Amino acid sequence: MGNHEAWTTVDVAPNILFDRLSDLDHLPEYIPWLTSLHRTAETPVTAQGPEARRPHQAVHEDVDVTVGGGHRDGWIDVLDEDRVLRWGMDGPHRYGGELIVDFVADGTSKLTVRLHTTETTNVDEELDRTLATIKTAVEHDQPTESSEGEQR
């Protein structure tokens, strides 16, 4: 299984960036190859907040994912305190990975994606494209200083 890693900086605070990326209902908006993602079970009680689980315990979600027109079963673990999203899927090119959001400076994050896959074609290019898509989407979705102070 091949291991791949790529990272970029994003001009958004780490907590905001992670909140956006860990919102599974909107995750396909940020991942270019992900057509849809649907939970296959009720949202677990542990997803209600950190007080409902042990420290650094992941919220585990079983999901049905549409990638390139095909459905696959998978899972996603969200570790809020660590700002880590881990996932895995079965299929002909079984793979898993993790997305990590780290603090760089006020209003800036480092976004790292690690991927473990049997696929060998264009993996690094797809990682770079995914990071660029996330960076663009999240940075352009931020209110500007002039719009924050405007009265409506």
Side-chain angles (χ1 to χ4, degrees), residues 40 53-54 57-58 77 95 130 134 141:
T40 58
R53 58 186 178 274
R54 294 185 310 269
Q57 177 186 5
D77 285 345
Y95 74 93
T130 298
I134 292 170
D141 196 25

Side-chain angles (χ1 to χ4, degrees), residues 21 26-35 99 129-130 133-134:
L21 296 175
H26 295 282
L27 192 57
E29 297 170 16
Y30 299 109
I31 310 293
W33 47 264
L34 183 60
T35 306
L99 177 148
R129 185 170 75 106
T130 298
T133 300
I134 292 170

